[in-house]
Amino acid sequence: MARRLYALGRWAALRRRRVLAVWGLLLVLVGGLGGTLHGTLSNEFSVPGVESQTAQDLLAHKFPAVAGGTSRVVFEARDGSTLRSSADRAAVRTSLKEAAAIPGVASVADPYTTGTVSPAGTIAYADVLFGQAPSDVPSSARTALQASAEPARRAGLIVEFGGSVAIAQAKSGAADVIGIPVAFLVLAVTLGSLLAAGLPLVTALVGVAIGVLGVEFVARFVQMTTTATVLALMVGLAVGIDYALFIVSRHREQLQDPDADVHESVGRATATAGSAVVFAGATVVIALAALSATGIPFLRVMGIAAAATVLVAVAAAVTLVPAILAGAGERLRPKPGSPSGPTSRLRRRGRPTVTPWGLKWARTVLRRPAAVLVVGVFALLAIALPVRDLHLGLPSNETQPTASTGHRSYDMLTRGFGPGFNATLAVVVDASHIPTAQRTAVEHEARAVVERDPDVAVATAPVSSPDGSVALFSVVPKSGPDAQATASLVHRLRDDDSAVTKAHGTMYVAGATAAAIDVSAKLSTKLPLFIGIIVALALALLTIAFRSLVIPLKAVVGFLLSIGVALGATVWVFQLGHLDGAFKVAAAAPVVCFLPVLLIGVLFGLAMDYEVFLVSRMREHFQRHGDAKEAIAQGMASSSRVVTAAALIMASVFGGFVLSEDPIVKAIGFALTVGVLVDAFVVRMTLVPAALALLGRHAWHLPRWLDRVVPDVDMEGARLAPVPAAEDSLDVKV
């Protein structure tokens, strides 16, 4: 691998204008397609095969009048008054009349006719039903619906919106870019050069722009959620900066030699650091693509979109970065006194050299490796303890920002109708195989059975489709959407369907709350398979990379500890409600059901990044002199500064998304930030050196029979030709 990447790096350096032109053309082409022909993104998380989705598909096919998107308009009276006065009735009906005139609206309910006014008369709601799916409702209709509330507001009423058709989407604000200035600061301190610090940012932004705009264009042909593009941006930006950093740092390290040729150094940096980049990038891509193993379409699309963006970042690192490094030429050669500057000149001047902090830290760990390992593992396990209470679900309007109309409508409905109102279930009866004369009796018997359940507050009268083959009625639980009692109620209703099945019909329990329960259950069953795939992948790839059996096992254990800590911290903040004010969490709620899968997929790749960059330098030194402990210390001294910068950059990029108003993005950003910091600084830079010190030379052992089978990828560039003499090197003017 190293020889091929060396040739690629030299080629890109010597033909930098062609390389830059190709990347520029690609950016313009993909940017044009993504900017002008982009698709529509949605916030729907459908999962084929679960009962709630089957019911929704049945309604869309046989009862489309109730299967479209719904916006719930919630009205609240002024303090001390009710909505029963003639003036307030007129204001409410005027607003709803304007809503009914919006193109695409199929029907609008009158709360005074349907009885959807709270017992106290202070709060009422009306459902505005669209003839399209929520994702297909145009923004113009959403804007017009929001404007229809003005007559009621002028009359002094409070009007908010909920339902499946969102009126205002949560914005990430500064989250998309706040990590970039932090990353630049970290790069400037690490590399000691503003020019060198800017290069990884430029190449990463080019790569992530191509990746994300390409995803936007593909959304024209594939149903994609908004979270897919956010994940692609988040991961692509982080790895793009880090991968470029590793190559730039290695290049400047080699240029410390005043006789080093720029183009030769570019080739060798691409061969050595580039090998680690390609290997680490492959692990991220494979881990993200492995999300397809869940069998859930929206996760498959999210994983592939992010994996494609990472592929672009890797390609930019091994082609665009060498071209730009060659263009910068001698301006990137470190100056004496800079973090990457030569130390030999300092010695000649009689000035003392500074011991790298990575070497100091390694020696501290190596003094008592057993104690460090035991204390570190138990500390991480203690932080991970809240994961025992992990409860998965989908975000409701309660988790939206407190200032959002969705959150306010949720609170108003809870005050007016009780906590179970926001957990309303839809019971769908497929009566197509029930004799026509019996359908009405069977449907009412099913409703009576449901209403007798002690956890049901009310069950509405069944409504039949025009041909009578499908009936629908709503069930309001006594508990909220996230309560365990509600989940138990859903399972009981599904089990107690004998009134329908005896008549050869089928009964489904659907609705947003049931869908959240179904999706969470399916993901929970797929999680062990996904973890198994990731663990097997890690063992195989790291065995190839380091030609060792012990190092992959140690890496997997460390990865599982990092996952446990990240999930434990997420549960503690987002589910249990600790520090919710500091992180602006609107309400304690179950963890987003697909967060653990995404976290495992993304963090696995990033954890392997740090493992590869740190341990490959240790192995490089061990192959030179065979001293296991000294190799650990030298490897830490060589790579800890860059890995520290990489982890801080990753954390700053992910941490920026914690500022997002979208509760899903906020939780993902938080979990990844914690996971990256713990994995880099505690697991890889503390526990790994301690474990390797205890293992000694045995850490690098590979059985002979396996040695003959495992391919040798030569990530360290051991088989590269010796550095040519200065007079023999190709000198191309910059």
Side-chain angles (χ1 to χ4, degrees):
M1 182 191 293
R3 284 185 292 185
R4 289 186 176 88
L5 287 174
Y6 170 80
L8 178 63
R10 288 273 299 182
W11 176 86
L14 295 172
R15 293 165 179 80
R16 61 182 179 275
R17 290 185 178 86
R18 295 184 191 176
V19 174
L20 293 173
V22 169
W23 278 99
L25 180 63
L26 187 61
L27 179 60
V28 171
L29 178 62
V30 177
L33 291 174
T36 59
L37 299 176
H38 58 82
T40 302
L41 304 175
S42 73
N43 288 314
E44 296 180 56
F45 301 100
S46 60
V47 179
V50 299
E51 180 168 325
S52 56
Q53 187 62 47
T54 303
Q56 186 64 31
D57 294 340
L58 177 66
L59 290 174
H61 178 60
K62 292 191 173 183
F63 203 173
V66 298
T70 302
S71 184
R72 179 159 287 173
V73 189
V74 187
F75 302 90
E76 184 172 15
R78 298 175 294 275
D79 291 340
S81 64
T82 69
L83 295 172
R84 296 193 177 101
S85 68
S86 57
D88 288 345
R89 284 174 180 255
V92 168
R93 284 172 168 159
T94 300
S95 287
L96 294 179
K97 184 178 179 180
E98 290 190 10
I102 298 172
V105 172
S107 65
V108 177
D110 184 337
Y112 299 104
T113 303
T114 57
T116 54
V117 180
S118 67
T122 57
I123 294 172
Y125 72 89
D127 285 337
V128 178
L129 182 63
F130 288 83
Q132 306 154 290
S135 58
D136 296 331
V137 175
S139 58
S140 58
R142 301 169 194 259
T143 303
L145 181 60
Q146 190 171 23
S148 70
E150 286 309 309
R153 286 176 174 149
R154 285 196 297 268
L157 304 183
I158 300 171
V159 186
E160 302 295 349
F161 296 87
S164 59
V165 177
I167 296 302
Q169 299 293 333
K171 303 296 183 183
S172 57
D176 295 353
V177 297
I178 195 170
I180 295 178
V182 177
F184 181 76
L185 178 62
V186 172
L187 288 168
V189 172
T190 302
L191 298 174
S193 164
L194 294 180
L195 176 61
L199 294 184
L201 288 178
V202 171
T203 56
L205 289 174
V206 170
V208 81
I210 293 173
V212 172
L213 288 171
V215 169
E216 295 264 2
F217 174 66
V218 173
R220 187 179 182 89
F221 311 99
V222 179
Q223 185 176 3
M224 197 172 294
T225 64
T226 53
T227 311
T229 56
V230 174
L231 182 66
L233 172 64
M234 191 186 299
V235 177
L237 185 60
V239 301
I241 295 174
D242 279 3
Y243 292 167
L245 165 64
F246 289 123
I247 295 176
V248 172
S249 176
R250 189 66 174 250
H251 176 57
R252 280 172 59 81
E253 180 184 327
Q254 293 166 170
L255 288 182
Q256 290 181 22
D257 182 356
D259 297 325
D261 174 69
V262 170
H263 294 85
E264 177 65 20
S265 176
V266 170
R268 289 184 173 270
T270 308
T272 51
S275 292
V277 164
V278 170
F279 187 88
T283 62
V284 179
V285 169
I286 295 172
L288 289 169
L291 289 173
S292 301
T294 61
I296 298 176
F298 76 84
L299 274 180
R300 180 188 303 120
V301 172
M302 288 171 66
I304 293 175
T309 307
V310 173
L311 270 178
V312 175
V314 172
V318 297
T319 56
L320 181 59
V321 170
I324 295 179
L325 291 178
E330 292 292 332
R331 286 171 292 177
L332 286 179
R333 193 178 295 274
K335 298 177 181 179
S338 70
S340 303
T343 58
S344 57
R345 299 180 186 180
L346 296 179
R347 292 193 187 97
R348 286 199 297 268
R349 294 176 184 177
R351 294 166 59 183
T353 59
V354 179
T355 303
W357 76 264
L359 181 58
K360 293 179 181 178
W361 179 246
R363 287 173 177 167
T364 301
V365 172
L366 294 177
R367 287 192 191 102
R368 292 180 176 83
V372 169
L373 192 62
V374 171
V375 172
V377 169
F378 276 97
L380 294 182
L381 289 174
I383 299 173
L385 279 178
V387 81
R388 298 177 303 173
D389 301 320
L390 177 64
H391 180 200
L392 301 179
L394 285 175
S396 64
N397 277 333
E398 185 185 22
T399 64
Q400 294 295 325
T402 53
S404 68
T405 188
H407 185 94
R408 288 172 175 167
S409 69
Y410 185 100
D411 287 346
M412 288 163 63
L413 290 170
T414 300
R415 290 197 303 271
F417 300 94
F421 189 83
N422 285 296
T424 300
L425 306 172
V427 176
V428 181
V429 177
D430 183 356
S432 54
H433 297 294
I434 300 176
T436 304
Q438 300 177 20
R439 287 176 178 175
T440 301
V442 170
E443 292 160 4
H444 281 83
E445 184 181 355
R447 173 188 174 274
V449 171
V450 168
E451 198 168 31
R452 284 198 296 268
D453 191 289
D455 286 333
V456 171
V458 64
T460 64
V463 178
S464 298
S465 61
D467 64 358
S469 63
V470 175
L472 169 70
F473 62 90
S474 299
V475 177
V476 178
K478 292 181 179 178
S479 51
D482 300 327
Q484 184 58 45
T486 304
S488 300
L489 172 63
V490 170
H491 296 309
R492 281 201 308 277
L493 295 182
R494 287 173 173 171
D495 293 338
D496 193 10
D497 60 351
S498 57
V500 177
T501 55
K502 283 180 181 178
H504 307 292
T506 307
M507 190 179 89
Y508 304 97
V509 180
T513 300
I517 293 169
D518 289 342
V519 174
S520 301
K522 184 161 186 175
L523 279 170
S524 297
T525 60
K526 296 289 185 180
L527 198 56
L529 171 64
F530 184 66
I531 293 176
I533 292 173
I534 293 297
V535 168
L537 175 68
L539 292 173
L541 292 177
L542 293 178
T543 300
I544 294 172
F546 300 120
R547 309 192 68 75
S548 163
L549 282 180
V550 177
I551 287 178
L553 290 171
K554 164 202 58 70
V556 167
V557 172
F559 165 68
L560 294 176
L561 284 172
S562 300
I563 288 293
V565 170
L567 279 178
T570 304
V571 169
W572 195 72
V573 173
F574 289 84
Q575 181 180 314
L576 302 181
H578 300 287
L579 298 179
D580 51 355
F583 292 100
K584 295 184 178 179
V585 178
V591 174
V592 179
C593 58
F594 54 83
L595 186 147
V597 177
L598 281 183
L599 177 65
I600 291 170
V602 175
L603 190 57
F604 165 75
L606 303 182
M608 295 307 102
D609 286 357
Y610 305 135
E611 181 79 12
V612 167
F613 289 120
L614 277 169
V615 181
S616 62
R617 294 306 295 267
M618 296 177 187
R619 184 171 184 262
E620 184 179 335
H621 290 291
F622 179 76
Q623 288 181 322
R624 290 177 185 171
H625 50 66
D627 187 329
K629 282 196 173 183
E630 187 61 25
I632 295 170
Q634 292 175 354
M636 287 283 289
S638 302
S639 56
S640 59
R641 185 182 184 89
V642 176
V643 171
T644 297
L648 292 176
I649 290 169
M650 288 271 191
S652 66
V653 172
F654 295 146
F657 286 88
V658 179
L659 302 178
S660 172
E661 294 182 358
D662 188 321
I664 297 177
V665 175
K666 182 188 290 288
I668 292 174
F670 176 85
L672 285 174
T673 301
V674 173
V676 163
L677 292 175
V678 169
D679 192 85
F681 295 111
V682 181
V683 174
R684 306 302 157 188
M685 298 181 68
T686 304
L687 301 186
V688 165
L692 291 178
L694 293 174
L695 293 168
R697 299 178 63 88
H698 300 291
W700 310 102
H701 175 68
L702 187 68
R704 187 173 298 177
W705 65 270
L706 194 56
D707 184 63
R708 292 193 296 267
V709 177
V710 175
D712 188 353
V713 295
D714 184 29
M715 285 205 311
E716 296 82 16
R719 291 195 291 273
L720 289 178
V723 179
E727 59 270 20
D728 296 332
S729 62
L730 182 61
D731 185 17
V732 178
K733 299 296 182 183
V734 178

